Amino acid sequence: MKELKLYLGPNHPGMHGNFSVHMYVEGDIIVKARPMPGMLHRGFEKLMERRLWMNNLALIPRICVVEPDINEMVYAMSIEKLARVEVPEKAHWIRMIILELARVANHLMAFGGIGGPTGLYTGPNWAIADRDLILDIFEEITGARVYHMYIVPGGVRKDLPEGIEEKISSFLDYLEKRMEDYKSLVLENKMIIKRTKDEIVLPLEVAKELGVTGIGLRSASGKAYDIRKVDPYARYDQVEFDVPTATYSDAYTRLGIKYQEIFQSIRILRQVLDKMPKTGSVRAKISSGNALRWRVPAGQVFSHIECARGEYGYYMVSNGKEMPYRVAVRGASYPQGMLGIEKYLPGTRLDDAAIWLDTMGVCAPEIDR
């Protein structure tokens, strides 16, 4: 009777997505943890291998619900490399608008979401409301709020609607002023500081051992390893931005870096709106026949980008037929969301388990994909 088994998720409000962690506790200390993915739509890699190339566009955004556009981008990049498709100039800039807005939406949910497991419910209420303003922009651009199917092989599905640049700019002005409120509410909140400072520490050697990238690695190493910098895609090499880093990766530091990254995304978006071509095609012609029966040339490729949680990649193999032969997704949160939970969540206090998941940036479908 010394050891008690408890469940975090899939319906617990502190759980991120349809995912469960089976925890064995002694008192309030976790002594063993076992992540249990597979609570909703999973097995995306095999599903992709059984669908036509273009049909997968409706499936792949679901691999990470809070930042779905990253999958559209990496999938499109992989096909474009295999088929040697040249993306129109304007489409590169539009893609950056979508990706950076998605990054901000993700960071808002994570940054404000820390209020859930700490009892600061103003945080998620504010963050979800402000994220909804981004979804309004997505809806106007793509016709959908969450799953957009907008970034497609060859570019984007359609051009930006008239006047959307002004709306994005107005939102950026609002959000930049709003960030001071978030700083006061979260980063300067004594309760948040008490619950996150010097807690859930991710040492550099552990980050390297697990293969953690993104904020987890940058906050532990002090190195600005960001795919947008080290292997630029779209037109990230034509905009200026900084990559926030630190040398001590506790939960509080990771929250602070998310806060700083929102400002950098605002900075990127303003440059994109200024530099983006006003005219031109937004989608290359990829097939002379039925696009649904498109045969991508045989070959293999690895494409990767920087998402809000780190390096996100697809390894894709085509055998020249109407469906992908093999697809492997390198989910950015797999190392800390699977291996990290099993090895390093033990020793954490029970009431800090949800903070662990939030500040480590775990997106459940990336694990059992």
Side-chain angles (χ1 to χ4, degrees):
M1 296 299 292
K2 181 181 177 184
E3 189 176 88
L4 177 67
K5 184 177 182 181
L6 296 176
Y7 301 89
L8 177 63
N11 60 341
H12 187 280
M15 175 52 65
H16 293 245
N18 289 274
F19 183 67
S20 176
V21 179
H22 294 191
M23 302 179 298
Y24 298 82
V25 301
E26 291 182 5
D28 66 345
I29 303 298
I30 301 169
V31 295
K32 185 168 63 175
R34 185 184 179 196
M36 299 293 289
M39 298 293 179
L40 188 60
H41 38 254
R42 299 293 186 261
F44 292 99
E45 293 168 336
K46 287 303 172 187
L47 288 172
M48 278 189 263
E49 294 166 9
R50 287 161 174 77
R51 283 167 171 73
L52 301 175
W53 290 97
M54 298 304 286
N55 283 351
N56 279 326
L57 294 175
L59 171 70
I60 52 178
R62 291 159 173 81
I63 302 180
C64 187
V65 178
V66 293
E67 196 182 11
D69 308 277
I70 54 174
N71 286 282
E72 296 178 16
M73 183 65 176
V74 184
Y75 185 75
M77 286 170 60
S78 299
I79 292 177
E80 287 155 7
K81 288 180 182 178
L82 288 168
R84 295 180 174 83
V85 174
E86 288 292 332
V87 176
E89 182 65 18
K90 187 175 182 180
H92 283 300
W93 295 91
I94 295 176
R95 285 177 169 187
M96 290 169 66
I97 290 176
I98 299 298
L99 292 174
E100 290 306 311
L101 285 174
R103 177 186 299 274
V104 173
N106 183 287
H107 280 338
L108 280 174
M109 181 172 283
F111 186 78
I114 195 66
T118 57
L120 183 65
Y121 295 111
T122 305
N125 288 337
W126 282 8
I128 294 300
D130 286 339
R131 175 178 175 269
D132 223 43
L133 299 177
I134 299 177
L135 301 191
D136 290 342
I137 294 172
F138 281 146
E139 185 175 22
E140 189 162 348
I141 294 174
T142 72
R145 297 182 68 79
V146 179
Y147 300 135
H148 307 131
M149 287 77 81
Y150 182 70
I151 298 175
V152 297
V156 295
R157 182 158 42 87
K158 59 180 181 178
D159 205 345
L160 294 174
E162 186 176 347
I164 194 65
E165 293 95 333
E166 290 76 13
K167 292 182 180 179
I168 296 172
S169 182
S170 177
F171 168 74
L172 297 178
D173 292 341
Y174 160 78
L175 183 61
E176 193 167 42
K177 295 177 183 177
R178 178 71 156 156
M179 293 308 293
E180 190 63 33
D181 295 332
Y182 281 107
K183 181 180 179 181
S184 299
L185 179 71
V186 179
L187 294 180
E188 296 177 351
N189 188 296
K190 292 182 179 179
M191 178 175 65
I192 296 293
I193 294 171
K194 178 70 174 177
R195 292 291 305 276
T196 61
K197 199 163 185 62
D198 298 322
E199 299 290 342
I200 325 295
V201 177
L202 180 65
L204 177 57
E205 59 270 20
V206 173
K208 288 182 176 179
E209 174 198 348
L210 295 177
V212 175
T213 56
I215 289 176
L217 179 62
R218 293 194 291 269
S219 61
S221 66
K223 297 186 181 298
Y225 183 83
D226 186 310
I227 305 301
R228 294 174 297 175
K229 289 282 192 182
V230 300
D231 188 12
Y233 48 95
R235 291 295 179 261
Y236 280 106
D237 57 343
Q238 298 183 27
V239 296
E240 295 180 0
F241 64 99
D242 299 320
V243 180
T245 64
T247 54
Y248 180 63
S249 183
D250 62 354
Y252 184 78
T253 301
R254 293 192 293 273
L255 280 175
I257 288 185
K258 289 175 186 177
Y259 179 82
Q260 296 174 53
E261 286 199 352
I262 292 175
F263 284 101
Q264 295 304 316
S265 288
I266 292 173
R267 182 181 174 190
I268 291 171
L269 284 163
R270 284 186 171 139
Q271 293 176 72
V272 172
L273 293 175
D274 182 57
K275 295 183 176 183
M276 181 176 61
K278 304 305 178 186
T279 59
S281 173
V282 298
R283 186 176 181 184
K285 189 175 182 179
I286 58 174
S287 174
S288 58
N290 185 349
L292 287 177
R293 293 295 177 184
W294 186 32
R295 293 175 180 265
V296 174
Q300 58 182 327
V301 67
F302 178 75
S303 299
H304 61 166
I305 67 171
E306 185 74 22
C307 76
R309 294 165 309 287
E311 182 178 0
Y312 199 95
Y314 273 38
Y315 170 70
M316 187 178 292
V317 180
S318 172
N319 58 2
K321 297 185 178 180
E322 296 172 348
M323 302 178 186
Y325 178 70
R326 286 289 181 270
V327 180
V329 178
R330 197 278 181 195
S333 60
Y334 179 87
Q336 61 267 40
M338 190 72 177
L339 307 176
I341 285 176
E342 289 188 345
K343 190 168 183 179
Y344 292 106
L345 187 59
T348 303
R349 291 175 57 214
L350 177 61
D351 49 348
D352 288 339
I355 297 177
W356 203 100
L357 292 162
D358 182 90
T359 64
M360 289 290 187
V362 176
C363 188
E366 291 178 0
I367 296 167
D368 187 14
R369 71 257 186 261

